[in-house]
Amino acid sequence: MRPLLAEPTEEEIDMSIHVKAAPSQFPPPMTSMTPREHGDPCSLVIFGATGDLAKRKLFPAVYHLAKGRLLAHDFRLIGMDRAAMTDDEFRILVKKCVEASEEISGFDQATWEDFEHRLYYLQGDLTQTSAYTTLRDRLHALEEKLEARSANRLFYLSVPPFIFREIIDHLSSSGLAPRTESPKTRPWARIIIEKPFGHNLASALSLNQLVLSHFNEHQIYRIDHYLGKETVQNILVFRAANAIFEPIWNRNHISHVQITAAETVGVESRGNYYEHAGVVRDMFQNHLMQLLALTAMELPHQMKANLVRDEKVKAIRSIRPFTLGAFQEAVRAQYAPGEIKGKPVQGYRQEPGVAADSMTPTYAAIKLMIDNGRWRGVPFYLRSGKRMAKRVTEIAIEFHKPAYLIDGLTGLEPGTEVESNVLVLRVQPNDGVTLRFSAKAPGAALALTPEIEVATVDMDFTYTEAFGQTLSPAYETLILDCMIGDATLFTRSDEVEAGWHVTDPLLEYWAANPPASGLPTYPSGSWGPEEADRLLEKDGFAWRKP
């Protein structure tokens, strides 16, 4: 029998069952965006408006909100950066970004004609006081005809982390973003801070202290775009709304959990950044920690921001601290030359901005244990890497094997076993859910043979098939929530710190203990190094190959 969670064979693929909803059982497919509350009237100020994030993600997301009529009438967007640009030139830039976006389903000229008049641009050095004086004057001019309650301000720090501190200090000292004591205060001022939030635990604590010295927690939105994905939000709904799953969501029924975030791309033009970050800071401390928390947390009695975040923090704080043995088991590696989609690609050390003798890992695999009543004894395996065989982010939950099997049930060699049931929550791509289980393969009747062959089959749900629409871009959801004032999908200060408490000791151990025989490598286009396979094999498991 092939290893647990291995890639399905051709015969299994042929037998795979794809369950689709019958028209009479479910509501008709939606043909437009699900009705949502529109945002409060506000000025959205994007610092770093000529940067990659703003052009690829933020501008298309805000345009999509306009297309869905989710922006208030008194909404305006002000971009600010060092580059010299007029308002009209900025509008041309934004239009090109929207038209080029793969996340926008069709450019609508009528929407654009209304949207472009809400766009403005200011040139300024964000480290200088004069930039904030200029911004204050422009905001006052735009807000002077509005009711005071409509003069809300949302500041998005789409900038490198090393200037977070200066911007936060200037926003406070200039009066652009006054501290408010209540989330109900109008007009409001809110700050969106991009990841990474700190470089380690000490820097995260320091940055939290700085931000909280100027603003209250309800004004701070620490953004992780993974939480804006429909399939990530669905994790809690899937658990809470399906009576067949939540009762078995525990150590009595689940043998282990695998969380994978694999990318086919390399570091591209981000070599200088990645050399200082590495895969753990880039993916584990934020994205994978969020997926683990949502999978492992207790369900709150209400879906309210602080109640959800309370339970996430409890789950992260329940993660067992690394021991020396766990440090030594953790796998780190670097991608070497190989092939992606049949095309040769270079290794990490050949990328621009990367040192020829770099020891920065682009792949990591770790085992975490959660010491609470629900999960004690259940390993959580987390892995992430660049230049992998396939782009995929998923949570695979493997259940225990059947406690009792009828003799001759499998029709296989003695000593072999029926595969475990596996529930896969796919975050990207092909967002959805798959449940793998065993069924009788077609063949002789039960009474005519002592051995019955069992096959592995899948029940598969995808969002696009079930709901008939393209999912909203993650940043669209998150920006709208900021305008509404819903912080459910954003990380709180104690959650950030709890995540660093988990990953910081590993980073420190790796920094102090470089591999004696050099950093392991894996060919680009593979599923990672052999050392990662052994991490699971010693526990009797194997990585799932999506």
Side-chain angles (χ1 to χ4, degrees):
M1 187 176 180
R2 64 186 177 85
L4 299 175
L5 294 182
E7 195 167 11
T9 64
E10 292 184 5
E11 291 81 7
E12 289 171 338
I13 292 172
D14 289 340
M15 292 179 189
S16 183
I17 298 175
H18 295 277
V19 178
K20 297 183 180 179
S24 60
Q25 293 175 302
F26 290 87
M30 293 184 289
T31 55
S32 61
M33 189 180 299
T34 305
R36 289 183 285 173
E37 181 182 353
H38 69 70
D40 287 354
C42 68
S43 296
L44 169 59
V45 179
I46 297 179
F47 297 127
T50 62
D52 186 62
L53 176 64
K55 291 190 285 189
R56 287 193 306 110
K57 299 294 185 180
L58 305 187
F59 297 152
V62 179
Y63 164 83
H64 210 253
L65 289 173
K67 188 176 180 181
R69 299 184 179 180
L70 293 170
L71 297 177
H73 176 71
D74 289 328
F75 169 85
R76 58 230 144 248
L77 186 156
I78 299 96
M80 193 167 188
D81 216 328
R82 288 174 177 267
M85 200 181 308
T86 65
D87 288 345
D88 286 340
E89 289 171 334
F90 180 61
R91 289 162 183 165
I92 293 170
L93 170 67
V94 173
K95 184 178 183 181
K96 289 180 179 178
C97 295
V98 170
E99 291 176 325
S101 174
E102 296 178 356
E103 296 182 333
I104 300 300
S105 55
F107 180 82
D108 182 71
Q109 184 62 30
T111 297
W112 174 255
E113 290 175 0
D114 174 69
F115 181 61
E116 68 173 335
H117 298 298
R118 304 167 182 240
L119 305 179
Y120 305 90
Y121 183 81
L122 287 177
Q123 180 185 12
D125 182 343
L126 299 176
T127 66
Q128 300 299 314
T129 302
S130 57
Y132 299 87
T133 302
T134 303
L135 175 59
R136 184 180 58 208
D137 292 344
R138 190 64 177 271
L139 285 173
H140 284 165
L142 293 171
E143 295 168 350
E144 64 179 353
K145 296 180 181 179
L146 302 178
E147 296 182 9
R149 288 177 57 84
S150 297
N152 302 306
R153 295 170 180 176
L154 179 59
F155 298 93
Y156 199 122
L157 277 61
S158 178
V159 294
F162 65 84
I163 60 170
F164 283 176
R165 290 177 172 275
E166 291 183 90
I167 293 176
I168 291 165
D169 278 333
H170 281 301
L171 285 175
S172 177
S173 62
S174 66
L176 281 166
R179 185 186 189 95
T180 57
E181 297 305 317
S182 168
K184 296 181 180 179
T185 300
R186 296 294 183 275
W188 49 253
R190 296 170 186 154
I191 317 294
I192 303 176
I193 304 178
E194 267 286 345
K195 78 171 188 76
F197 196 87
H199 187 73
N200 54 20
L201 177 59
S203 61
L205 288 168
S206 177
L207 184 55
N208 267 335
Q209 184 178 19
L210 170 74
V211 177
L212 291 170
S213 70
H214 292 309
F215 309 107
N216 268 313
E217 182 67 49
H218 67 80
Q219 296 179 266
I220 306 162
Y221 289 72
R222 300 170 190 82
I223 198 166
D224 183 336
H225 71 270
Y226 263 48
L227 291 178
K229 296 178 181 294
E230 290 284 356
T231 38
V232 174
Q233 298 172 54
N234 182 54
I235 295 171
L236 292 187
V237 175
F238 181 85
R239 291 176 54 187
N242 293 288
I244 62 173
F245 290 113
E246 184 58 22
I248 60 173
W249 208 266
N250 55 62
R251 63 190 178 92
N252 295 328
H253 301 277
I254 294 172
S255 69
H256 74 283
V257 178
Q258 298 181 20
I259 302 179
T260 297
E263 301 176 278
T264 55
V265 297
V267 295
E268 300 176 314
S269 61
R270 300 168 68 228
N272 288 325
Y273 159 77
Y274 206 86
E275 278 286 85
H276 295 92
V279 67
V280 173
R281 291 187 179 93
D282 193 46
M283 295 296 293
F284 282 72
Q285 194 278 331
N286 36 70
H287 300 330
L288 296 189
M289 197 64 65
Q290 291 296 323
L291 297 182
L292 181 147
L294 290 167
T295 304
M297 65 180 275
E298 298 297 323
L299 295 179
H301 68 277
Q302 285 183 307
M303 291 293 285
K304 291 187 175 180
N306 275 330
L307 296 179
V308 171
R309 298 194 289 182
D310 286 345
E311 296 302 337
K312 287 167 64 183
V313 172
K314 290 178 187 176
I316 296 172
R317 286 177 175 168
S318 296
I319 296 173
R320 183 184 303 170
F322 279 100
T323 61
L324 179 59
F327 283 136
Q328 293 171 342
E329 288 179 345
V331 177
R332 48 180 158 167
Q334 208 177 72
Y335 65 81
E339 288 189 358
I340 300 289
K341 298 181 180 178
K343 296 182 179 180
V345 295
Q346 60 191 2
Y348 176 70
R349 292 183 179 182
Q350 289 77 53
E351 300 281 16
V354 174
D357 58 350
S358 173
M359 296 293 284
T360 301
T362 63
Y363 175 98
I366 62 175
K367 172 184 173 181
L368 297 176
M369 305 297 293
I370 299 177
D371 288 331
N372 61 22
R374 182 183 287 267
W375 296 110
R376 187 168 288 112
V378 178
F380 281 67
Y381 301 100
L382 281 61
R383 63 172 171 170
S384 181
K386 290 189 173 296
R387 289 293 189 209
M388 303 284 282
K390 184 178 180 181
R391 173 180 173 264
V392 62
T393 301
E394 66 175 31
I395 302 164
I397 298 162
E398 181 175 322
F399 294 88
H400 291 303
K401 293 184 180 298
Y404 173 75
L405 284 178
I406 302 171
D407 288 343
L409 180 65
T410 63
L412 301 172
E413 295 297 324
T416 59
E417 299 176 296
V418 171
E419 291 193 35
S420 300
N421 302 130
V422 183
L423 177 69
V424 180
L425 308 177
R426 295 191 308 275
V427 176
Q428 63 181 14
N430 303 320
D431 316 53
V433 181
T434 295
L435 177 62
R436 175 166 292 186
F437 60 96
S438 299
K440 177 186 176 297
L446 290 174
L448 300 181
T449 176
E451 293 186 344
I452 304 301
E453 186 173 353
V454 175
T456 301
V457 293
D458 291 334
M459 290 199 326
D460 189 64
F461 150 77
T462 62
Y463 268 87
T464 51
E465 286 186 13
F467 298 111
Q469 67 176 43
T470 302
L471 299 183
S472 299
Y475 278 98
E476 175 190 336
T477 299
L478 295 171
I479 292 172
L480 178 61
D481 281 354
C482 291
M483 295 178 186
I484 294 170
D486 184 350
T488 304
L489 302 178
F490 298 84
T491 52
R492 207 168 53 193
S493 58
D494 53 349
E495 186 178 347
V496 171
E497 293 168 11
W500 278 117
H501 272 290
V502 175
T503 57
D504 218 31
L506 177 63
L507 291 169
E508 290 177 353
Y509 178 84
W510 279 354
N513 297 273
S517 56
L519 192 64
T521 61
Y522 59 97
S524 293
S526 70
W527 280 108
E530 295 179 358
E531 290 85 348
D533 295 333
R534 292 196 286 270
L535 176 67
L536 271 69
E537 287 171 358
K538 67 180 183 59
D539 293 335
F541 306 127
W543 287 111
R544 165 184 161 83
K545 291 184 171 61

PDB file of all heavy atoms in Angstrom, residues 349-372:
ATOM      1  N   ARG A 349      20.700  31.312  -4.537  1.00  0.00           N
ATOM      2  CA  ARG A 349      21.959  32.048  -4.443  1.00  0.00           C
ATOM      3  C   ARG A 349      22.330  32.757  -5.741  1.00  0.00           C
ATOM      4  O   ARG A 349      23.255  33.571  -5.765  1.00  0.00           O
ATOM      5  CB  ARG A 349      23.089  31.107  -4.018  1.00  0.00           C
ATOM      6  CG  ARG A 349      22.930  30.602  -2.586  1.00  0.00           C
ATOM      7  CD  ARG A 349      24.086  29.743  -2.149  1.00  0.00           C
ATOM      8  NE  ARG A 349      23.931  29.289  -0.778  1.00  0.00           N
ATOM      9  CZ  ARG A 349      24.825  28.544  -0.120  1.00  0.00           C
ATOM     10  NH1 ARG A 349      25.949  28.179  -0.734  1.00  0.00           N
ATOM     11  NH2 ARG A 349      24.613  28.169   1.132  1.00  0.00           N
ATOM     12  N   GLN A 350      21.635  32.455  -6.828  1.00  0.00           N
ATOM     13  CA  GLN A 350      21.872  33.132  -8.105  1.00  0.00           C
ATOM     14  C   GLN A 350      20.890  34.294  -8.320  1.00  0.00           C
ATOM     15  O   GLN A 350      20.968  35.000  -9.325  1.00  0.00           O
ATOM     16  CB  GLN A 350      21.744  32.147  -9.272  1.00  0.00           C
ATOM     17  CG  GLN A 350      22.875  31.128  -9.373  1.00  0.00           C
ATOM     18  CD  GLN A 350      22.748  30.001  -8.369  1.00  0.00           C
ATOM     19  OE1 GLN A 350      21.704  29.363  -8.291  1.00  0.00           O
ATOM     20  NE2 GLN A 350      23.813  29.747  -7.608  1.00  0.00           N
ATOM     21  N   GLU A 351      19.976  34.501  -7.382  1.00  0.00           N
ATOM     22  CA  GLU A 351      18.979  35.560  -7.529  1.00  0.00           C
ATOM     23  C   GLU A 351      19.607  36.924  -7.244  1.00  0.00           C
ATOM     24  O   GLU A 351      20.545  37.041  -6.431  1.00  0.00           O
ATOM     25  CB  GLU A 351      17.812  35.334  -6.560  1.00  0.00           C
ATOM     26  CG  GLU A 351      17.052  34.021  -6.750  1.00  0.00           C
ATOM     27  CD  GLU A 351      16.057  34.066  -7.898  1.00  0.00           C
ATOM     28  OE1 GLU A 351      16.152  34.995  -8.734  1.00  0.00           O
ATOM     29  OE2 GLU A 351      15.193  33.167  -7.966  1.00  0.00           O
ATOM     30  N   PRO A 352      19.100  38.000  -7.876  1.00  0.00           N
ATOM     31  CA  PRO A 352      19.620  39.352  -7.616  1.00  0.00           C
ATOM     32  C   PRO A 352      19.439  39.734  -6.145  1.00  0.00           C
ATOM     33  O   PRO A 352      18.395  39.466  -5.543  1.00  0.00           O
ATOM     34  CB  PRO A 352      18.754  40.245  -8.515  1.00  0.00           C
ATOM     35  CG  PRO A 352      18.216  39.329  -9.567  1.00  0.00           C
ATOM     36  CD  PRO A 352      18.060  37.995  -8.918  1.00  0.00           C
ATOM     37  N   GLY A 353      20.484  40.332  -5.577  1.00  0.00           N
ATOM     38  CA  GLY A 353      20.405  40.784  -4.197  1.00  0.00           C
ATOM     39  C   GLY A 353      20.693  39.725  -3.160  1.00  0.00           C
ATOM     40  O   GLY A 353      20.613  39.997  -1.954  1.00  0.00           O
ATOM     41  N   VAL A 354      21.016  38.493  -3.582  1.00  0.00           N
ATOM     42  CA  VAL A 354      21.265  37.383  -2.660  1.00  0.00           C
ATOM     43  C   VAL A 354      22.764  37.101  -2.616  1.00  0.00           C
ATOM     44  O   VAL A 354      23.430  37.022  -3.651  1.00  0.00           O
ATOM     45  CB  VAL A 354      20.492  36.120  -3.084  1.00  0.00           C
ATOM     46  CG1 VAL A 354      20.870  34.930  -2.214  1.00  0.00           C
ATOM     47  CG2 VAL A 354      18.985  36.375  -3.019  1.00  0.00           C
ATOM     48  N   ALA A 355      23.302  36.918  -1.416  1.00  0.00           N
ATOM     49  CA  ALA A 355      24.728  36.628  -1.251  1.00  0.00           C
ATOM     50  C   ALA A 355      25.063  35.259  -1.822  1.00  0.00           C
ATOM     51  O   ALA A 355      24.263  34.320  -1.722  1.00  0.00           O
ATOM     52  CB  ALA A 355      25.100  36.678   0.223  1.00  0.00           C
ATOM     53  N   ALA A 356      26.234  35.139  -2.405  1.00  0.00           N
ATOM     54  CA  ALA A 356      26.659  33.887  -3.039  1.00  0.00           C
ATOM     55  C   ALA A 356      26.795  32.751  -2.037  1.00  0.00           C
ATOM     56  O   ALA A 356      26.695  31.572  -2.402  1.00  0.00           O
ATOM     57  CB  ALA A 356      27.981  34.099  -3.775  1.00  0.00           C
ATOM     58  N   ASP A 357      27.028  33.095  -0.762  1.00  0.00           N
ATOM     59  CA  ASP A 357      27.138  32.069   0.276  1.00  0.00           C
ATOM     60  C   ASP A 357      25.989  32.159   1.280  1.00  0.00           C
ATOM     61  O   ASP A 357      26.127  31.781   2.453  1.00  0.00           O
ATOM     62  CB  ASP A 357      28.472  32.195   1.011  1.00  0.00           C
ATOM     63  CG  ASP A 357      28.640  33.575   1.650  1.00  0.00           C
ATOM     64  OD1 ASP A 357      27.819  34.467   1.361  1.00  0.00           O
ATOM     65  OD2 ASP A 357      29.594  33.748   2.430  1.00  0.00           O
ATOM     66  N   SER A 358      24.844  32.654   0.835  1.00  0.00           N
ATOM     67  CA  SER A 358      23.701  32.887   1.721  1.00  0.00           C
ATOM     68  C   SER A 358      23.278  31.627   2.473  1.00  0.00           C
ATOM     69  O   SER A 358      23.249  30.532   1.916  1.00  0.00           O
ATOM     70  CB  SER A 358      22.504  33.399   0.913  1.00  0.00           C
ATOM     71  OG  SER A 358      21.342  33.472   1.725  1.00  0.00           O
ATOM     72  N   MET A 359      22.933  31.805   3.755  1.00  0.00           N
ATOM     73  CA  MET A 359      22.399  30.727   4.580  1.00  0.00           C
ATOM     74  C   MET A 359      20.931  30.985   4.936  1.00  0.00           C
ATOM     75  O   MET A 359      20.401  30.408   5.882  1.00  0.00           O
ATOM     76  CB  MET A 359      23.231  30.598   5.856  1.00  0.00           C
ATOM     77  CG  MET A 359      24.681  30.183   5.619  1.00  0.00           C
ATOM     78  SD  MET A 359      24.791  28.486   4.994  1.00  0.00           S
ATOM     79  CE  MET A 359      24.470  27.586   6.500  1.00  0.00           C
ATOM     80  N   THR A 360      20.277  31.848   4.179  1.00  0.00           N
ATOM     81  CA  THR A 360      18.875  32.175   4.429  1.00  0.00           C
ATOM     82  C   THR A 360      17.976  31.052   3.912  1.00  0.00           C
ATOM     83  O   THR A 360      18.041  30.707   2.728  1.00  0.00           O
ATOM     84  CB  THR A 360      18.485  33.488   3.728  1.00  0.00           C
ATOM     85  OG1 THR A 360      19.316  34.538   4.223  1.00  0.00           O
ATOM     86  CG2 THR A 360      17.028  33.829   3.964  1.00  0.00           C
ATOM     87  N   PRO A 361      17.138  30.464   4.755  1.00  0.00           N
ATOM     88  CA  PRO A 361      16.259  29.384   4.281  1.00  0.00           C
ATOM     89  C   PRO A 361      15.084  29.920   3.472  1.00  0.00           C
ATOM     90  O   PRO A 361      14.469  30.923   3.834  1.00  0.00           O
ATOM     91  CB  PRO A 361      15.783  28.725   5.573  1.00  0.00           C
ATOM     92  CG  PRO A 361      15.879  29.786   6.604  1.00  0.00           C
ATOM     93  CD  PRO A 361      17.029  30.667   6.209  1.00  0.00           C
ATOM     94  N   THR A 362      14.773  29.251   2.375  1.00  0.00           N
ATOM     95  CA  THR A 362      13.580  29.554   1.577  1.00  0.00           C
ATOM     96  C   THR A 362      12.496  28.500   1.794  1.00  0.00           C
ATOM     97  O   THR A 362      11.412  28.589   1.226  1.00  0.00           O
ATOM     98  CB  THR A 362      13.924  29.600   0.079  1.00  0.00           C
ATOM     99  OG1 THR A 362      14.387  28.302  -0.339  1.00  0.00           O
ATOM    100  CG2 THR A 362      15.010  30.630  -0.189  1.00  0.00           C
ATOM    101  N   TYR A 363      12.826  27.485   2.601  1.00  0.00           N
ATOM    102  CA  TYR A 363      11.888  26.406   2.925  1.00  0.00           C
ATOM    103  C   TYR A 363      12.069  26.062   4.403  1.00  0.00           C
ATOM    104  O   TYR A 363      13.200  26.070   4.918  1.00  0.00           O
ATOM    105  CB  TYR A 363      12.169  25.160   2.088  1.00  0.00           C
ATOM    106  CG  TYR A 363      11.315  23.946   2.450  1.00  0.00           C
ATOM    107  CD1 TYR A 363      10.174  23.640   1.720  1.00  0.00           C
ATOM    108  CD2 TYR A 363      11.659  23.122   3.519  1.00  0.00           C
ATOM    109  CE1 TYR A 363       9.387  22.538   2.064  1.00  0.00           C
ATOM    110  CE2 TYR A 363      10.882  22.029   3.866  1.00  0.00           C
ATOM    111  CZ  TYR A 363       9.738  21.739   3.134  1.00  0.00           C
ATOM    112  OH  TYR A 363       8.949  20.657   3.471  1.00  0.00           O
ATOM    113  N   ALA A 364      10.966  25.777   5.073  1.00  0.00           N
ATOM    114  CA  ALA A 364      11.038  25.287   6.445  1.00  0.00           C
ATOM    115  C   ALA A 364       9.874  24.339   6.696  1.00  0.00           C
ATOM    116  O   ALA A 364       8.790  24.472   6.094  1.00  0.00           O
ATOM    117  CB  ALA A 364      11.007  26.438   7.447  1.00  0.00           C
ATOM    118  N   ALA A 365      10.107  23.377   7.549  1.00  0.00           N
ATOM    119  CA  ALA A 365       9.059  22.452   7.998  1.00  0.00           C
ATOM    120  C   ALA A 365       9.266  22.230   9.490  1.00  0.00           C
ATOM    121  O   ALA A 365      10.378  21.912   9.928  1.00  0.00           O
ATOM    122  CB  ALA A 365       9.142  21.127   7.242  1.00  0.00           C
ATOM    123  N   ILE A 366       8.217  22.445  10.267  1.00  0.00           N
ATOM    124  CA  ILE A 366       8.323  22.298  11.717  1.00  0.00           C
ATOM    125  C   ILE A 366       7.128  21.512  12.250  1.00  0.00           C
ATOM    126  O   ILE A 366       6.078  21.423  11.611  1.00  0.00           O
ATOM    127  CB  ILE A 366       8.405  23.664  12.426  1.00  0.00           C
ATOM    128  CG1 ILE A 366       7.133  24.487  12.182  1.00  0.00           C
ATOM    129  CG2 ILE A 366       9.640  24.429  12.002  1.00  0.00           C
ATOM    130  CD1 ILE A 366       7.105  25.799  12.953  1.00  0.00           C
ATOM    131  N   LYS A 367       7.331  20.952  13.415  1.00  0.00           N
ATOM    132  CA  LYS A 367       6.275  20.210  14.116  1.00  0.00           C
ATOM    133  C   LYS A 367       5.935  20.970  15.388  1.00  0.00           C
ATOM    134  O   LYS A 367       6.823  21.298  16.179  1.00  0.00           O
ATOM    135  CB  LYS A 367       6.772  18.800  14.443  1.00  0.00           C
ATOM    136  CG  LYS A 367       5.860  17.981  15.341  1.00  0.00           C
ATOM    137  CD  LYS A 367       6.513  16.643  15.660  1.00  0.00           C
ATOM    138  CE  LYS A 367       5.753  15.841  16.684  1.00  0.00           C
ATOM    139  NZ  LYS A 367       6.427  14.539  16.985  1.00  0.00           N
ATOM    140  N   LEU A 368       4.660  21.267  15.579  1.00  0.00           N
ATOM    141  CA  LEU A 368       4.196  21.971  16.769  1.00  0.00           C
ATOM    142  C   LEU A 368       3.187  21.110  17.513  1.00  0.00           C
ATOM    143  O   LEU A 368       2.373  20.417  16.888  1.00  0.00           O
ATOM    144  CB  LEU A 368       3.570  23.313  16.402  1.00  0.00           C
ATOM    145  CG  LEU A 368       4.489  24.357  15.744  1.00  0.00           C
ATOM    146  CD1 LEU A 368       3.691  25.591  15.357  1.00  0.00           C
ATOM    147  CD2 LEU A 368       5.636  24.727  16.661  1.00  0.00           C
ATOM    148  N   MET A 369       3.219  21.176  18.829  1.00  0.00           N
ATOM    149  CA  MET A 369       2.252  20.477  19.676  1.00  0.00           C
ATOM    150  C   MET A 369       1.468  21.521  20.465  1.00  0.00           C
ATOM    151  O   MET A 369       2.033  22.517  20.944  1.00  0.00           O
ATOM    152  CB  MET A 369       2.958  19.515  20.633  1.00  0.00           C
ATOM    153  CG  MET A 369       3.881  18.512  19.963  1.00  0.00           C
ATOM    154  SD  MET A 369       3.019  17.360  18.850  1.00  0.00           S
ATOM    155  CE  MET A 369       2.026  16.416  20.019  1.00  0.00           C
ATOM    156  N   ILE A 370       0.168  21.290  20.614  1.00  0.00           N
ATOM    157  CA  ILE A 370      -0.698  22.217  21.334  1.00  0.00           C
ATOM    158  C   ILE A 370      -1.144  21.541  22.628  1.00  0.00           C
ATOM    159  O   ILE A 370      -1.838  20.520  22.595  1.00  0.00           O
ATOM    160  CB  ILE A 370      -1.908  22.626  20.476  1.00  0.00           C
ATOM    161  CG1 ILE A 370      -1.416  23.334  19.201  1.00  0.00           C
ATOM    162  CG2 ILE A 370      -2.851  23.527  21.266  1.00  0.00           C
ATOM    163  CD1 ILE A 370      -2.522  23.719  18.246  1.00  0.00           C
ATOM    164  N   ASP A 371      -0.724  22.108  23.723  1.00  0.00           N
ATOM    165  CA  ASP A 371      -0.980  21.481  25.019  1.00  0.00           C
ATOM    166  C   ASP A 371      -2.271  21.991  25.644  1.00  0.00           C
ATOM    167  O   ASP A 371      -2.279  22.826  26.561  1.00  0.00           O
ATOM    168  CB  ASP A 371       0.204  21.735  25.961  1.00  0.00           C
ATOM    169  CG  ASP A 371       1.429  20.935  25.566  1.00  0.00           C
ATOM    170  OD1 ASP A 371       1.265  19.840  24.991  1.00  0.00           O
ATOM    171  OD2 ASP A 371       2.553  21.406  25.820  1.00  0.00           O
ATOM    172  N   ASN A 372      -3.381  21.512  25.122  1.00  0.00           N
ATOM    173  CA  ASN A 372      -4.676  21.757  25.768  1.00  0.00           C
ATOM    174  C   ASN A 372      -5.537  20.510  25.623  1.00  0.00           C
ATOM    175  O   ASN A 372      -5.137  19.525  24.996  1.00  0.00           O
ATOM    176  CB  ASN A 372      -5.371  23.005  25.192  1.00  0.00           C
ATOM    177  CG  ASN A 372      -5.673  22.892  23.702  1.00  0.00           C
ATOM    178  OD1 ASN A 372      -5.762  21.800  23.134  1.00  0.00           O
ATOM    179  ND2 ASN A 372      -5.834  24.037  23.053  1.00  0.00           N
TER     180      ASN A 372
END
